[in-house]
């Protein structure tokens, strides 16, 4: 996978979260292993969001019911308590609930806030995973959730106020996605550490590490939780099995009718299972599976198209220069899904077919960081016009 995100921009975003640790120290000693409380105060954290911005969102933004949640003392508050009968958010009820001690939660706010979205995009390259933000605004002396662990790794960025944090035990194994903490069933382990997360500080908590946070002092707390939504080797191997099965005809046969009921044929069925497992091992392609995963990762990133409409309001001239937008992933791939030949560029939300001549030149120009139609020597000018326009529309290129 090739993308325009420079090592400097991605490492800067990570260093903001992990300093004084270097990225190498963080990945070696903490990632997916143990929590890390960075006590260094980083003003950049407070630049990402503010209480005034939350006030503006609640007061003036479009708020579908799923755009806001509330919780108090470890329990979620039903949407019916802060929405109207038609499902619209009752903004006054949200603020009144906050006054009464409830935490305001804005899930996936990065989709509605450009600064948070750019920050998430800058982290996706270094983690090789999608990232998201959830925002928590908690009144003094309150907490939204009880002791629990998450099924994904998180960075907690304390934007305003402070939180009293408690860190408990770890699971023996990392949880799968969806394998969340079950209150009253799962053991959080013994209390291991207690500390205050101050304004401008950051905390990393691996998935499976139980924790709880309560607002510290007499000021409300505002923090950003950045979730790292990794894919696992189990996900990769399942895709490899599916990909290999396309070339193993016997995998398409139905299960034996007596599989569940006839113990007498158990040995024969077990032998079939082992034979097919070996066939998968012999047939599975790492390269094909990697191509599918990387392409899906790029497509699912989500576009960043600010400025694109203005750029497309006028015809794009031969010497109009465009730069490659920061933090947008892309990849050049062979496009042989239908048995044909050719190449394509994969973008968030789209795959654009390319002739070989254009693909080679486009890959070079994008790697160089800027593009103008006059840079290319191609016979099909209509293809060039269409591709450059589409790259602007889908956000890879922005007017210089």
């Amino acid at each position: 996978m090739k993308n325009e995100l420079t090592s400097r921009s991605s490492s800067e975003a990570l260093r903001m979260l992990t300093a004084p640790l270097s990225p190498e120290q963080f990945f070696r000693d903490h990632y997916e292993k143990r929590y890390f409380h960075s006590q260094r105060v980083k003003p950049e954290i407070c630049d990402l969001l503010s209480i005034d911005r939350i006030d503006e969102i609640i007061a003036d933004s479009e708020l579908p019911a799923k755009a806001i949640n509330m919780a108090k003392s470890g329990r979620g508050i039903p949407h019916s308590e802060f929405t109207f009968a038609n499902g619209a958010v009752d903004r006054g009820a949200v603020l009144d609930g906050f006054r009464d001690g409830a935490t305001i939660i804005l899930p996936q706010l990065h989709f509605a806030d450009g600064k948070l979205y750019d920050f998430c995009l800058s982290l996706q390259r270094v983690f090789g995973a999608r990232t998201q933000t959830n925002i928590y605004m908690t009144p003094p002396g309150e907490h939204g959730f009880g002791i629990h662990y998450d099924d994904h790794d998180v960075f907690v960025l304390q934007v305003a106020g402070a939180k009293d944090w408690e860190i408990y035990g770890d699971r023996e194994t990392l949880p799968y996605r969806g394998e969340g903490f079950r209150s009253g069933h799962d053991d959080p382990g013994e209390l291991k550490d207690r500390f205050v997360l101050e304004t401008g500080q950051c905390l990393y908590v691996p998935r499976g590490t139980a924790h709880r946070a309560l607002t510290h002092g007499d000021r409300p707390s505002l923090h950003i939780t950045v979730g790292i939504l990794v894919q696992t080797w189990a996900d990769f191997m399942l895709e490899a099995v599916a990909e290999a099965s396309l070339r193993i005809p016997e995998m398409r046969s139905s299960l034996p009718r007596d599989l569940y009921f006839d113990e007498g044929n158990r040995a024969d069925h077990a032998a079939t299972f082992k034979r097919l497992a070996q066939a998968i091992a012999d047939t599975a392609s790492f390269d094909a599976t990697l191509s599918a995963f990387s392409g899906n990762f790029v497509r699912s990133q989500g576009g960043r198209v600010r400025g694109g409409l203005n750029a497309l309001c006028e015809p794009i001239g031969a010497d109009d220069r465009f730069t490659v937008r920061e933090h947008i992933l892309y990849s050049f791939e062979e496009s042989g899904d239908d048995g044909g030949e050719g190449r394509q560029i994969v973008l968030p939300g789209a795959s654009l077919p390319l002739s070989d001549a254009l693909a080679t030149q486009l890959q070079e120009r994008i790697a160089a960081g800027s593009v103008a139609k006059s840079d290319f020597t191609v016979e099909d000018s209509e293809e060039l016009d269409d591709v450059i326009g589409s790259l602007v529309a889908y956000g890879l290129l922005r007017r210089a």
Side-chain angles (χ1 to χ4, degrees), residues 108-124:
Q108 311 282 323
L109 185 61
H110 59 289
F111 286 129
D113 186 279
K115 188 178 289 189
L116 290 177
Y117 194 60
D118 283 340
F119 180 64
C120 283
L121 295 184
S122 72
L123 292 174
Q124 293 192 146

Side-chain angles (χ1 to χ4, degrees), residues 51-113:
I51 292 178
D52 185 63
R53 174 66 174 138
I54 300 301
D55 184 66
E56 177 187 33
I57 290 169
I58 294 174
D60 301 331
S61 299
E62 181 182 1
L63 286 177
K66 292 184 179 180
I68 191 165
N69 294 318
M70 301 191 76
K72 182 180 179 181
S73 302
R75 304 186 68 176
I77 296 175
H79 275 74
S80 59
E81 294 191 19
F82 55 90
T83 58
F84 295 110
N86 64 0
V89 172
D90 183 344
R91 301 167 198 264
V94 170
L95 297 183
D96 200 39
F98 176 79
R99 183 188 63 82
D100 194 40
T103 293
I104 300 172
I105 305 166
L106 300 175
Q108 311 282 323
L109 185 61
H110 59 289
F111 286 129
D113 186 279

